[in-house]
Amino acid sequence: MLNSSASLDQVFHALADPTRRAMVERLSCGPASVSELARPLDMSLAAVVQHLQVLEQSGIVRTRKVGRVRTCRVDPGALSAAERWIAERRALWERRLDRLGDFLAEQEPQDKERKKRS
């Protein structure tokens, strides 16, 4: 569980930055070279590489170098772990809200009865 938690922390850390999210969005359309990823960004190539390192460490992005070109692609496995975690939290809160709704629905007739007696 500790390893899973640590890798999940890295995924959320990586996705916390808008530049890295933009890179992931671009890569979800297909693989791209580092220079292609850097082109629309207003930063140096060195800064882009630092962002890519964070994405690689989290497991979200994989890179492969062929000759002088480093190609990046999204690894959906890391995103699946984050998606599972979010889905589990959502299910928990939906169950809690359903129980609250049931409780409030039970209270409504009792409240009407009390008002009639007063």
Side-chain angles (χ1 to χ4, degrees):
M1 180 67 179
L2 186 58
N3 265 351
S4 174
S5 178
S7 64
L8 193 58
D9 289 347
Q10 287 181 319
V11 168
F12 283 119
H13 168 73
L15 294 174
D17 183 86
T19 299
R20 292 191 288 266
R21 285 194 308 272
M23 294 169 98
V24 170
E25 283 183 45
R26 165 54 189 88
L27 291 172
S28 62
C29 297
S33 69
V34 174
S35 58
E36 288 172 331
L37 284 174
R39 195 169 295 128
L41 302 173
D42 187 27
M43 62 180 63
S44 68
L45 193 58
V48 170
V49 169
Q50 286 180 333
H51 281 293
L52 276 172
Q53 287 173 340
V54 172
L55 289 168
E56 279 188 282
Q57 289 168 353
S58 71
I60 295 173
V61 170
R62 301 281 181 222
T63 63
R64 181 173 170 229
K65 189 170 184 179
V66 176
R68 292 176 39 170
V69 177
R70 181 169 297 279
T71 303
C72 309
R73 70 184 70 244
V74 169
D75 183 350
L79 294 175
S80 295
E83 184 179 15
R84 261 191 319 276
W85 185 87
I86 291 169
E88 289 168 3
R89 304 289 86 58
R90 180 183 299 124
L92 171 72
W93 279 103
E94 286 174 352
R95 286 192 305 272
R96 288 177 178 175
L97 290 172
D98 287 345
R99 287 197 318 259
L100 176 61
D102 293 344
F103 174 77
L104 293 174
E106 290 172 8
Q107 297 304 307
E108 190 175 316
Q110 293 173 9
D111 290 343
K112 285 181 182 177
E113 188 62 36
R114 279 189 210 118
K115 288 179 183 177
K116 282 182 184 178
R117 283 186 258 155
S118 351

